[in-house]
Amino acid sequence: MEKYLYIALFAPLASSLFVALFAARPKMLFTGIVASLLIGVSMIASFILLIDVNNYGPLHVTMMDWISAGNLSIPFGFVVDEVSVIMMVTVTLVSTIVHIYSIGYMDHDKSFNRFFSYLSAFVFSMMILVMSDNFVGLFIGWEGVGLCSWLLIGFWYHKHSASWAANEAFIMNRIADLGMLMGLFLIYWQLGSFQYDVVFANVKHLDPAIITTIGIFLFIGAMGKSAQFPLHTWLADAMEGPTPVSALIHAATMVTAGVYLVIRCGELYTLIPHVGFAIASLGAFVALFAASMALVNNDLKRIIAYSTLSQLGYMFVAAGLGAYWIALFHLMTHAFFKSLLFLGAGNVMHAMHDELNIKKMGGLYGSMKATAILMSIASVALAGIYPFAGFFSKDKILEVAFNEGAYFLWFALFIGAGLTAFYSFRLVMLVFFGEKEYKKQGLHPHEAQNFVIYALVPLGLLAIVAGFFEHAFHGFVTKLLRNYEIHIDHGVEAILIAATLGIAISGIAFAIYMYKRGGFPKSLEERACYKILSNQYFIPYAYERFIMKPFTALSHFFWVSIDTKIIDATVDLIARVFYKSGEKARKMQSGNLSDMLRWMVMGIVVLLIFAILYRPTV
């Protein structure tokens, strides 16, 4: 099985390097086909490894010694266990579909080849992240996906907004990664190893304060990658990248890396339940916080991005409360229906000539039936309606919160479920039904190419049926993860499920009712609460006003007053002194024999004077 590990890991790298050979050339269709095939090969290898791990247990491979310095020894090793293989399958499955979809979506882009090289490089970095058997390997993949996300978000670098969004995502993640690095340094300082098995076997022997500090530092890294408050603003702005990027990075892979880190470090976080509860509390806040912003936003992709942010909050609630397998289950199911929503949004954007304002759409169902059906399926799954996948995974998280007696967290998630259902179908109603607002712009929307629709069908099927694999999933991953069980009376459990379903169905019904009648009155937009939500609680403004502008002013001051007037002036003065002295000394090299003899005599005299004045005493 070792060969399948190498195939799963290195096929995306081969894809990226092969396509990079043609990156500077005009569009070549075969580059997209080859890239998709190689990612598909990685997916097949991942499924074979899934079956093997289920039958024979984890596979651990050490390719070679990597870093050896003193007592530090870090092998280039990988582990395919119950957690990593689930991530591998999820990443490669979604990535394969995104690659195939991108052949159609990027068809007219002059940088078609470059896009596929970046996209495959991202998949390789993500595979390094989830397959490594040590924290350093994880961090290499962690930084790799950060770099590739910068390249992909800013893919259309000629647009100022795209470059700005890419830089924002990159810088905000670097801030968080400093915290993660501190955690890794502390792990090595205390335990002398970065290997997962060594660290998790010995971490319980550390002082509780040290364990707490490590847990906090690692979670700071997770906050940046998974866009948790207050490091959340980059996620919505990252929608400036091509839509397949949004589907791959911001639905199924990169943003879930923070959740994966907490799940992988479950042995550590189990020892510090107070930190876990803080993680869960932040997750519940973000779930409600992001859902509230999605209620009023009119940007098609940003609504879905806020939904991603909200669902990440749900995952962190489960992970923070110790239900690691449930967090991983929601991570997997969410990847299917959220990537389907993003890719469907890409179809709508193409049909609407890149228009993103959902209030300028309407009535697209007649022209885009397949996309409308697929996005409706994804929206129902996101709302958590039985028997769709979201019901099984998201409802479990609410039960976990109730089971732990965290009733305030449960209530926040409960309200978030209602808001999620409402904004999901607000989007569906404004885009696919109602008045055909697009006619006012003279547009003639059309459905995407057939192969693009066919590529989305597997995601639609998984959004429907993935939840039914709950018991098989539970039995598989709990061979490694803590077996969290919910001990709630069956009657109470039935009431909780009914209540959650009720609020979700009510949210859908209310959205359909309101937007069949034309939506809310425009006077609502003048209300203070609407302005607060539409301006993201003025958090981006606060960052710009109190962080960015003061930092820019301080940088300008140091540049003008310190760098230019002191540092540059000092360097220039030294240069001028040497230049002038060299210019004067040049006269010594006249080539005249008499002048040379005079200088020689002067030199001898100077040396004699020094010899007399500084002769050694006996």
Side-chain angles (χ1 to χ4, degrees):
M1 285 295 121
E2 187 174 331
K3 65 181 179 182
Y4 291 108
L5 183 151
Y6 294 138
I7 291 170
L9 177 62
F10 291 113
L13 177 62
S15 170
S16 178
L17 294 177
F18 173 77
V19 177
L21 296 174
F22 309 96
R25 298 187 182 184
K27 176 200 165 186
M28 304 171 76
L29 182 62
F30 82 91
T31 58
I33 295 172
V34 171
S36 302
L37 285 173
L38 286 170
I39 300 299
V41 167
S42 179
M43 177 189 69
I44 293 168
S46 297
F47 272 105
I48 292 172
L49 289 168
L50 173 66
I51 296 168
D52 186 71
V53 170
N54 186 46
N55 292 333
Y56 304 108
L59 174 65
H60 195 175
V61 172
T62 300
M63 289 180 62
M64 59 183 176
D65 289 333
W66 182 26
I67 299 174
S68 293
N71 294 326
L72 175 64
S73 178
I74 304 172
F76 197 60
F78 302 93
V79 61
V80 180
D81 57 21
E82 289 79 4
V83 172
S84 61
V85 78
I86 289 294
M87 291 296 295
M88 289 165 62
V89 167
T90 303
V91 168
T92 54
L93 175 60
V94 174
S95 298
T96 302
I97 292 171
V98 169
H99 272 72
I100 297 170
Y101 175 90
S102 298
I103 295 173
Y105 188 88
M106 302 298 290
D107 184 50
H108 301 296
D109 198 288
K110 64 181 181 180
S111 298
F112 180 90
N113 303 335
R114 179 167 60 90
F115 178 80
F116 278 92
S117 180
Y118 291 170
L119 205 62
S120 297
F122 175 86
V123 179
F124 172 65
S125 297
M126 194 66 198
M127 295 295 276
I128 289 282
L129 190 158
V130 301
M131 294 175 68
S132 290
D133 66 354
N134 61 82
F135 282 103
V136 175
L138 178 144
F139 189 73
I140 296 298
W142 192 274
E143 294 304 296
V145 294
L147 172 62
C148 293
S149 71
W150 178 75
L151 293 170
L152 288 165
I153 295 167
F155 181 76
W156 291 316
Y157 56 84
H158 53 277
K159 290 170 57 180
H160 172 74
S161 56
S163 294
W164 192 93
N167 290 336
E168 180 190 19
F170 191 80
I171 293 167
M172 198 162 283
N173 274 274
R174 298 295 74 70
I175 294 169
D177 290 353
L178 176 61
M180 185 176 178
L181 272 175
M182 296 295 291
L184 297 188
F185 290 151
L186 198 53
I187 286 172
Y188 183 74
W189 182 30
Q190 294 293 319
L191 299 172
S193 177
F194 288 113
Q195 296 297 119
Y196 292 151
D197 51 357
V198 175
V199 171
F200 298 142
N202 294 286
V203 69
K204 58 180 175 289
H205 302 303
L206 299 180
D207 183 271
I210 296 293
I211 302 174
T212 299
T213 306
I214 292 172
I216 291 172
F217 277 136
L218 292 179
F219 181 63
I220 289 172
M223 285 171 63
K225 200 65 74 184
S226 294
Q228 295 297 284
F229 179 87
L231 304 175
H232 66 282
T233 55
W234 69 267
L235 184 64
D237 293 336
M239 296 303 105
E240 289 290 338
T243 302
V245 174
S246 303
L248 182 61
I249 295 179
H250 308 118
T253 53
M254 175 178 153
V255 293
T256 61
V259 181
Y260 167 76
L261 176 64
V262 175
I263 293 170
R264 175 59 76 184
C265 296
E267 293 291 331
L268 185 151
Y269 283 104
T270 300
L271 301 172
I272 44 174
H274 54 292
V275 174
F277 186 77
I279 292 172
S281 299
L282 180 62
F285 166 75
V286 170
L288 196 55
F289 170 73
S292 66
M293 292 188 288
L295 291 175
V296 301
N297 203 286
N298 296 320
D299 186 296
L300 176 63
K301 287 173 67 177
R302 282 177 178 262
I303 294 171
I304 305 173
Y306 286 131
S307 172
T308 298
L309 186 55
S310 180
Q311 296 307 305
L312 288 167
Y314 279 83
M315 296 174 208
F316 275 118
V317 170
L321 294 177
Y324 302 112
W325 78 266
I326 295 174
L328 186 61
F329 186 46
H330 191 51
L331 185 158
M332 183 187 73
T333 60
H334 171 264
F336 302 142
F337 55 75
K338 186 54 62 66
S339 54
L340 178 58
L341 273 175
F342 270 119
L343 296 179
N347 290 351
V348 173
M349 285 177 62
H350 263 325
M352 291 294 296
H353 294 194
D354 292 333
E355 176 60 62
L356 284 167
N357 190 335
I358 58 176
K359 288 193 172 181
K360 294 182 179 180
M361 299 178 186
L364 288 176
Y365 179 80
S367 307
M368 306 181 71
K369 287 186 175 65
T371 298
I373 291 169
L374 287 167
M375 287 191 71
S376 297
I377 288 171
S379 297
V380 173
L382 175 61
I385 304 300
Y386 182 86
F388 293 79
F391 166 80
F392 293 91
S393 57
K394 192 164 73 171
D395 192 75
K396 280 286 181 189
I397 297 173
L398 275 86
E399 291 181 36
V400 168
F402 197 90
N403 185 63
E404 291 293 319
Y407 302 121
F408 187 78
L409 301 187
W410 174 86
F411 184 72
L413 299 180
F414 177 74
I415 298 299
L419 298 182
T420 300
F422 176 80
Y423 69 66
S424 297
F425 275 82
R426 171 179 177 262
L427 183 150
V428 170
M429 292 299 294
L430 285 174
V431 172
F432 295 110
F433 301 99
E435 294 296 323
K436 297 179 178 179
E437 297 294 333
Y438 62 83
K439 286 188 174 182
K440 296 177 183 178
Q441 304 171 63
L443 297 176
H444 302 283
H446 56 84
E447 186 58 275
Q449 297 159 280
N450 286 338
F451 82 89
V452 171
I453 297 298
Y454 295 148
L456 301 186
V457 170
L459 290 176
L461 292 174
L462 287 168
I464 297 171
V465 306
F468 291 105
F469 295 96
E470 176 190 338
H471 294 297
F473 182 92
H474 170 259
F476 178 69
V477 298
T478 50
K479 294 176 184 176
L480 178 66
L481 298 177
R482 174 189 174 195
N483 182 23
Y484 185 92
E485 294 183 359
I486 297 173
H487 303 287
I488 301 177
D489 182 78
H490 290 299
V492 175
E493 185 178 11
I495 293 171
L496 291 175
I497 292 173
T500 307
L501 267 176
I503 196 170
I505 292 171
S506 299
I508 293 172
F510 185 53
I512 294 172
Y513 172 76
M514 289 302 301
Y515 289 99
K516 261 194 168 184
R517 301 179 59 194
F520 291 93
K522 288 190 176 181
S523 59
L524 180 66
E525 297 181 10
E526 302 301 319
R527 301 278 181 90
C529 60
Y530 187 96
K531 290 182 177 179
I532 290 171
L533 295 178
S534 61
N535 285 285
Q536 304 173 59
Y537 292 90
F538 293 98
I539 292 172
Y541 170 80
Y543 285 172
E544 183 176 0
R545 178 71 178 82
F546 299 110
I547 297 176
M548 293 170 60
K549 285 187 175 179
F551 184 78
T552 302
L554 186 63
S555 300
H556 186 268
F557 168 77
F558 277 106
W559 169 51
V560 173
S561 302
I562 307 298
D563 191 51
T564 303
K565 293 183 178 179
I566 298 177
I567 298 174
D568 285 355
T570 303
V571 173
D572 291 343
L573 176 62
I574 294 170
R576 281 197 297 271
V577 168
F578 277 103
Y579 180 80
K580 291 295 183 182
S581 60
E583 198 173 47
K584 297 294 184 183
R586 190 183 303 150
K587 296 176 182 178
M588 296 168 59
Q589 303 294 332
S590 64
N592 186 289
L593 183 59
S594 300
D595 290 341
M596 303 297 275
L597 289 171
R598 290 191 195 98
W599 284 112
M600 186 185 298
V601 171
M602 286 179 61
I604 292 171
V605 171
V606 171
L607 287 174
L608 288 172
I609 293 171
F610 271 101
I612 294 168
L613 292 177
Y614 296 100
R615 67 182 183 277
T617 57
V618 180

